[in-house]
Amino acid sequence: MTRTPASIRAAARTLRPGGSCPFIGTPVALIAVLLWSFLMSVEVVADPPASKVLVVNSDGAVEKYQVAQQAFVESRGGPLKVLDLSRLSDREAQRAIRAEAASAVYGIGARASVAASRAVRGRPVVISSVINWSRLPEARSPRVHVVANELSSESQLTMFRYFFPDVKRIGVLYSREYNREWLEAAVASGKGIGLEGIGIPVRSTRASETALKSLLPKVDALWVASDPVVLADETAVRRLFGAIAAARKPAFTYTSAFAGFGPTLIVAPDAPTIGRQAAAILRDASIGPIKQVQNPAGSEVILNLGAVRDYGLRLNDAARDSVNRFIR
């Protein structure tokens, strides 16, 4: 709060009993009222308005989006508005976001993330809960910060190895454009825990089918990792998991969105943790403009017991305590 100037404090002291008034001919009571009003106006102007954060949710009916939103709201505090895009067109969504004139925006899900990144100029945006977020041109902006939708490769591989100790070779399809560095780091992480990573690069979604036929005989399991070329759309995802199942090989992956396609093990990000991370990034973004990309700090584990049985896999029984949800 701004301190009262010394000259005003000195003038105020002259109004005490016995003090001389510098304003000749002006009633002392009136001067006191005027000074008090001035001091109050100084206090009000000195307090800056609180910043407003806008939460943009692609669809509030999606549970994981709602959970991340709630965790963000609880962590953030302060003035905050929530905008649900489920009933708005893309143009209406961007118009509504601009109308809020928020000092920062948190976008949950792909649609909200794109709309927020396009509508907001010169203010920080955090996005989360986006599968293959690197495919979005908007995510490349230095003012757009990201909580990724997958855990670090080291964390995922460690869990795969913990659950299935007999798996020695794990295969992955990837595009060099998006995931060359990631694949190199993943292979190095695998060596540290006794897993051999075998990656085949692909240039198109169609090429993934041919590459998969070559890869399947060489590995004990397939790692369906986040890649915008390999996983271009739902049709590509369905074909990929179908081919893996036909080869009777376990599939490990990174998001519960793929649970319906029959993967053996999912090591997914924990939605409440993502919301809290987004709130923390916005606090940091108010200090400086350095772009942040974070992996989720918490995980959710989903195990498909039917696949374990059908493929004759040896499961580490001690790992069952780490499972959040079983698919039977």
Side-chain angles (χ1 to χ4, degrees):
M1 187 174 292
T2 301
R3 294 177 60 85
T4 305
S7 59
I8 295 176
R9 295 199 302 272
R13 285 196 296 271
T14 65
L15 301 180
R16 297 172 183 168
S20 61
C21 178
F23 306 104
I24 305 300
T26 305
V28 172
L30 177 57
I31 293 173
V33 170
L34 291 173
L35 281 172
W36 177 254
S37 299
F38 178 79
L39 292 176
M40 290 301 293
S41 68
V42 170
E43 301 288 355
V44 171
V45 172
D47 286 335
S51 60
K52 181 175 76 172
V53 173
L54 176 65
V55 178
V56 185
N57 195 324
S58 295
D59 187 345
V62 177
E63 183 181 3
K64 66 178 181 179
Y65 294 171
Q66 184 61 34
V67 170
Q69 174 184 303
Q70 185 60 35
F72 178 89
V73 170
E74 292 172 355
S75 297
R76 176 69 192 183
L80 188 146
K81 175 74 179 290
V82 175
L83 178 64
D84 189 328
L85 303 187
S86 58
R87 301 193 176 204
L88 300 179
S89 68
D90 291 345
R91 180 174 296 180
E92 290 170 337
Q94 292 186 44
R95 187 183 301 122
I97 293 169
R98 284 193 292 267
E100 291 296 333
S103 57
V105 179
Y106 172 35
I108 307 174
R111 188 160 178 256
S113 298
V114 170
S117 301
R118 291 177 178 176
V120 176
R121 294 289 182 268
R123 286 158 287 167
V125 174
V126 176
I127 66 174
S128 79
S129 309
V130 181
I131 296 176
N132 297 329
W133 66 267
S134 59
R135 78 186 191 280
L136 303 179
E138 294 81 5
R140 299 170 189 166
S141 169
R143 62 183 175 77
V144 176
H145 310 279
V146 181
V147 182
N149 201 51
E150 57 277 342
L151 297 158
S152 69
S153 58
E154 183 177 7
S155 297
Q156 293 182 67
L157 288 169
T158 300
M159 291 297 285
F160 301 159
R161 181 73 166 138
Y162 178 56
F163 273 80
F164 300 104
D166 290 343
V167 170
K168 306 296 183 183
R169 296 176 303 279
I170 186 167
V172 59
L173 301 177
Y174 72 100
S175 58
R176 285 195 175 101
E177 179 183 0
Y178 292 97
N179 280 331
R180 181 173 59 84
E181 294 85 357
W182 172 87
L183 191 280
E184 291 173 355
V187 170
S189 297
K191 287 181 180 178
I193 58 173
L195 271 177
E196 179 186 0
I198 301 175
I200 294 184
V202 297
R203 293 185 177 181
S204 67
T205 304
R206 182 178 296 274
S208 297
E209 297 181 22
T210 302
L212 184 62
K213 291 179 182 178
S214 171
L215 182 60
L216 282 168
K218 302 175 182 177
V219 297
D220 302 317
L222 265 293
W223 183 9
V224 181
S226 176
D227 191 287
V229 175
V230 178
L231 307 174
D233 51 37
E234 183 178 342
T235 299
V237 172
R238 191 176 299 279
R239 286 178 177 171
L240 179 64
F241 279 104
I244 298 170
R248 300 185 63 77
K249 295 289 177 76
F252 305 148
T253 191
Y254 64 96
T255 173
S256 58
F258 295 156
F261 298 108
T264 304
L265 183 66
I266 300 172
V267 182
D270 178 66
T273 303
I274 284 178
R276 289 190 285 270
Q277 284 181 255
I281 288 176
L282 275 187
R283 285 193 291 269
D284 292 342
S286 64
I287 299 173
I290 299 175
K291 182 181 180 73
Q292 294 194 44
V293 177
Q294 296 184 5
N295 291 115
S299 64
E300 175 190 19
V301 178
I302 302 172
L303 178 64
N304 187 337
L305 292 176
V308 172
R309 180 187 62 248
D310 293 344
Y311 302 152
L313 301 173
R314 183 171 74 88
L315 173 67
N316 176 14
D317 286 335
R320 289 175 179 264
D321 292 338
S322 302
V323 178
N324 300 96
R325 177 157 62 98
F326 290 97
I327 299 174
R328 301 180 186 278

